[in-house]
Amino acid sequence: DTGVSQDPRHKITKRGQNVTFRCDPISEHNRLYWYRQTLGQGPEFLTYFQNEAQLEKSRLLSDRFSAERPKGSFSTLEIQRTEQGDSAMYLCASSLPRTAEQYFGPGTRLTVT
Amino acid sequence: DAKTTQPTSMDCAEGRAANLPCNHSTISGNEYVYWYRQIHSQGPQYIIHGLKNNETNEMASLIITEDRKSSTLILPHATLRDTAVYYCIACKDYKLSFGAGTTVTVRA
C-alpha cells in the first residue's frame, strides 16, 4: 500500500515532555498538511508544505508547535512542553498541487497525562 | 472559505440510496464543493468534488444546484460500511475547513 503513513500510531507522554510525530506522504504528492482533531470535532488545519517550503503556519496552535519537511519528502510535527490540552489525534495528509483532494493518514493519537 | 450547513445526523436503510444535503449559500464562484467522510478511528477519506456540474465517481454522485447554494451527496446503494461522519466543505485551494459534519448510520 502506498498511502500516507504516520508514526507512531499512539503516543502517551507526561505533561512537559516533548513529542515528535512523523508523516510519510504519497510519493508523488508535493503538498503535505497537518491537522489536529479533538473528540467530537472535525479536523482542524494546522500547517502545510509545498515541497520543503512551509507556506502557511499561522494556524499552528502556539509556539510550542513546529513542523519541518527538510527534503520535501517526509515531515515531522513536534510539540514541546506538552500540556493536557494537546491530547488529540494528529492527522497528516498529502495532495498534488492546486487541489483540495487530500489523502489522509491514519493519524497519531496523543495522550498527555 | 464559505460556511456550510449540514444536518447533524441521519439514518438510512442498507441497500437504499442515501441523500446527504449541504447548504453553502455564501459560496463564491471559484470555490469547489468537496465531500469527505470519516469512518470511526480512521483518517478522513476523499469522496468527490465539483464546481458547478454534477459529478459521479465509483463512490458517489454529487448534485449541485444551478445557483450553487446547495448540494446533495448521493450514495447509490448504502452499505453498513458507509456508516461514517460525512463532511461537506467549500474550498478554493488547499485549506479544508471541516465542520461537525453529518453522522450517517446505515441500518440493516
Side-chain angles (χ1 to χ4, degrees):
Chain A
D1 186 278
T2 56
V4 178
S5 62
Q6 293 187 245
D7 184 69
R9 296 290 309 277
H10 303 272
K11 177 71 176 179
I12 300 174
T13 192
K14 292 186 188 300
R15 190 176 55 189
Q17 298 295 303
N18 299 343
V19 294
T20 300
F21 309 140
R22 177 180 170 124
C23 171
D24 287 89
I26 293 171
S27 58
E28 60 267 29
H29 287 179
N30 61 357
R31 283 192 172 181
L32 186 147
Y33 312 81
W34 285 99
Y35 292 81
R36 184 179 83 154
Q37 186 172 25
T38 53
L39 205 59
Q41 305 296 314
E44 175 187 11
F45 172 85
L46 295 179
T47 187
Y48 98 101
F49 293 85
Q50 181 154 307
N51 301 311
E52 66 276 9
Q54 190 173 13
L55 296 187
E56 178 160 354
K57 56 183 178 180
S58 61
R59 301 291 185 92
L60 285 171
L61 301 162
S62 78
D63 58 7
R64 298 184 297 106
F65 287 71
S66 64
E68 291 184 342
R69 193 182 184 198
K71 296 181 180 178
S73 56
F74 72 92
S75 175
T76 57
L77 177 71
E78 181 181 17
I79 308 173
Q80 296 183 327
R81 305 181 302 282
T82 53
E83 302 173 356
Q84 286 189 316
D86 297 332
S87 295
M89 176 75 83
Y90 290 85
L91 293 159
C92 174
S94 69
S95 79
L96 294 169
R98 293 185 297 279
T99 177
E101 185 177 335
Q102 297 178 15
Y103 292 84
F104 283 78
T108 294
R109 181 165 296 285
L110 173 66
T111 303
V112 182
T113 62
Chain B
D1 292 339
K3 180 178 164 59
T4 61
T5 305
Q6 301 177 251
T8 303
S9 64
M10 61 186 292
D11 287 0
C12 58
E14 187 179 22
R16 304 292 294 270
N19 296 309
L20 283 61
C22 180
N23 286 322
H24 32 78
S25 58
T26 62
I27 195 168
S28 63
N30 59 353
E31 285 182 305
Y32 287 75
V33 178
Y34 280 82
W35 283 83
Y36 281 77
R37 72 179 183 184
Q38 189 169 23
I39 296 168
H40 184 61
S41 297
Q42 297 182 21
Q45 177 189 22
Y46 165 81
I47 301 174
I48 198 166
H49 74 281
L51 185 62
K52 50 187 173 182
N53 297 324
N54 297 338
E55 302 288 338
T56 295
N57 63 19
E58 65 278 4
M59 290 183 68
S61 295
L62 174 61
I63 309 297
I64 303 174
T65 57
E66 194 168 341
D67 63 7
R68 301 209 328 120
K69 293 186 177 184
S70 66
S71 60
T72 301
L73 180 76
I74 301 172
L75 307 177
H77 305 285
T79 71
L80 298 178
R81 288 173 295 181
D82 292 323
T83 291
V85 179
Y86 287 76
Y87 299 100
C88 168
I89 304 165
C91 175
K92 62 176 176 281
D93 187 12
Y94 60 86
K95 196 181 300 180
L96 295 173
S97 295
F98 290 83
T102 297
T103 299
V104 173
T105 304
V106 180
R107 301 193 186 277

